[in-house]
Amino acid sequence: MCGIIGYVGTKPATPILMEGLKRLEYRGYDSAGICVQNGKLTTVRSEGKMVKLEEKITKFETRGTCGIAHTRWATHGVPQERNAHPHRDCTGRVAIVHNGIIENYLELKQELVQDGHLFASDTDSEVLAHLIESELAGGTALFMGVKRVLSRVRGTYGLVVVTQDHPQTLIAARMGSPLVVGIGQGEYFVASDPSAIIAHTKEVLYLDDGEIVAVTSEGMSLDGVVQAPVKDRVSRIDWDVEEATKAGHPHFMLKEILEQPEVIENSIRGRVDLLNGRCVLGGLEAVQDRLREIDRIVIVGCGSAYYAGLYHPQLTYTHCSTIHW
Ligand code: GLU
């Protein structure tokens, strides 16, 4: 589960999005991408570190005052450019960034493929772009279309959608994966973590699970479970940029210690089927037969990964960082 930032306003979106992504880098990621709306949608993605995306982006025309960006931590599909977000529909008129796991993506994907949709990635997330495409093609308005799509989805999401045909509009939704809306002067931000937007605004609205918000440079409209007026939900962040990455804690170590319950919950969300008492590793489903044939696993780790690697009663270890089954 990694990083999201979106912007709509009057300033050039690309520098704001790229700077926001950099502020999210500390969470770790394997690839990154950006999509800017300017008459059409221009998407640039890259495997690996942000510097690669920064280099690549100079070769594209990414002017525009509305856009979305993402750092990915793969759950479904190897960390390659084709699996990096933003993902697009068949027409290139819808782009999405998604954090989380769509548990029922395989059945949705099969249905979409039967309807003639062409997929460009191995991710679970891409189904969202194609489902929105289908809703729009059927004449549903964007906000309602996203809402209808999400009613079909099982799993977790922090989602932001941008389209070619709805200028200066972002639709964002949350279920189990944090999203915050930042309110500026004639501009709005959406991010998975306030640290990505705190340099621009301190007025924020934290979305609740099940909420969907439409954001334009003029304002926002919210639909969801909590019906309190938007203005009563807006809070002010008192941290500066430096403090924001520490989420108000005096230092990173304390933050990381106190975040552990949330981090563990986020890591296993969508991967444990409590009803049937089994693990669900969606990214490995396609190769499960090959995995069953494996009779030796070597876990290599350093630091805390080494200790995590040791945690199996049937393991024996041969030297400090290599463990044999
Ligand atoms: N499940 C998505 C993917 O594998 C999103 C991963 C993330 O949260 O970064 O692309």
Side-chain angles (χ1 to χ4, degrees):
M1 192 141 345
C2 229
I4 285 180
I5 172 153
Y7 174 78
V8 55
T10 51
K11 299 185 190 130
T14 301
I16 293 171
L17 297 175
M18 293 297 281
E19 184 211 311
L21 284 189
K22 282 197 195 148
R23 299 223 176 268
L24 297 172
E25 270 193 298
Y26 78 98
R27 302 179 70 97
Y29 62 104
D30 55 52
S31 51
I34 180 170
C35 174
V36 179
Q37 184 199 60
N38 183 14
K40 61 185 176 64
L41 299 181
T42 304
T43 304
V44 188
R45 305 178 299 171
S46 172
E47 185 185 326
K49 292 290 160 201
M50 280 289 297
V51 280
K52 284 177 82 180
L53 183 66
E54 277 176 305
E55 265 167 44
K56 199 167 169 189
I57 214 163
T58 57
K59 302 186 186 95
F60 287 79
E61 168 55 70
T62 55
R63 260 182 298 177
T65 54
C66 174
I68 56 178
H70 188 259
T71 45
R72 175 177 189 237
W73 193 262
T75 64
H76 293 62
V78 292
Q80 280 178 355
E81 185 183 322
R82 61 193 292 275
N83 289 328
H85 300 219
H87 289 290
R88 287 152 295 179
D89 69 332
C90 297
T91 66
R93 302 174 93 83
V94 176
I96 63 109
V97 286
H98 165 233
N99 277 356
I101 294 177
I102 306 301
E103 289 168 30
N104 58 338
Y105 85 102
L106 268 182
E107 60 196 72
L108 295 169
K109 187 168 177 174
Q110 275 159 11
E111 186 189 304
L112 287 159
V113 168
Q114 267 166 21
D115 288 348
H117 288 263
L118 295 174
F119 278 74
S121 79
D122 307 316
T123 63
D124 51 335
S125 314
E126 193 184 344
V127 294
L128 297 169
H130 294 275
L131 288 168
I132 295 168
E133 175 190 359
S134 294
E135 287 293 341
L136 298 180
T140 315
L142 178 62
F143 192 84
M144 183 48 76
V146 175
K147 203 172 159 179
R148 281 170 64 156
V149 165
L150 294 177
S151 71
R152 301 191 57 199
V153 156
R154 215 172 52 239
T156 55
Y157 49 82
L159 170 72
V160 189
V161 183
V162 67
T163 70
Q164 184 165 309
D165 302 326
H166 302 80
Q168 298 292 105
T169 304
L170 299 177
I171 308 287
R174 172 196 159 134
M175 181 63 77
S177 185
L179 268 191
V180 59
V181 180
I183 303 154
Q185 297 290 329
E187 59 184 1
Y188 284 82
F189 306 80
V190 182
S192 52
D193 180 327
S195 61
I197 56 174
I198 204 154
H200 304 283
T201 181
K202 305 223 159 172
E203 305 283 314
V204 296
L205 184 145
Y206 291 94
L207 291 188
D208 281 327
D209 275 350
E211 285 188 325
I212 308 181
V213 64
V215 188
T216 70
S217 35
E218 268 99 59
M220 66 169 143
S221 61
L222 188 68
D223 183 291
V225 276
V226 183
Q227 291 300 334
V230 166
K231 65 174 176 31
D232 297 348
R233 303 253 316 265
V234 173
S235 52
R236 198 179 158 75
I237 298 180
D238 291 325
W239 318 317
D240 60 23
V241 175
E242 164 73 17
E243 285 165 343
T245 46
K246 293 191 234 146
H249 298 296
H251 47 75
F252 277 111
M253 188 166 163
L254 188 60
K255 174 176 183 263
E256 285 173 12
I257 291 170
L258 295 174
E259 269 182 350
Q260 282 187 31
E262 193 192 333
V263 169
I264 291 170
E265 198 184 320
N266 285 341
S267 313
I268 63 173
R269 184 181 287 123
R271 296 187 166 102
V272 180
D273 175 358
L274 288 175
L275 279 182
N276 300 305
R278 54 182 211 117
C279 262
V280 185
L281 298 175
L284 299 178
E285 264 163 22
V287 291
Q288 52 179 298
D289 290 339
R290 277 167 54 204
L291 291 176
R292 284 207 180 85
E293 285 163 17
I294 291 173
D295 53 24
R296 179 168 177 254
I297 294 175
V298 178
I299 300 172
V300 181
C302 186
S304 49
Y306 166 66
Y307 291 113
L310 283 179
Y311 189 75
H312 192 294
Q314 286 163 22
L315 292 176
T316 56
Y317 62 93
T318 51
H319 68 81
C320 71
S321 60
T322 308
I323 304 158
H324 294 268
W325 199 292

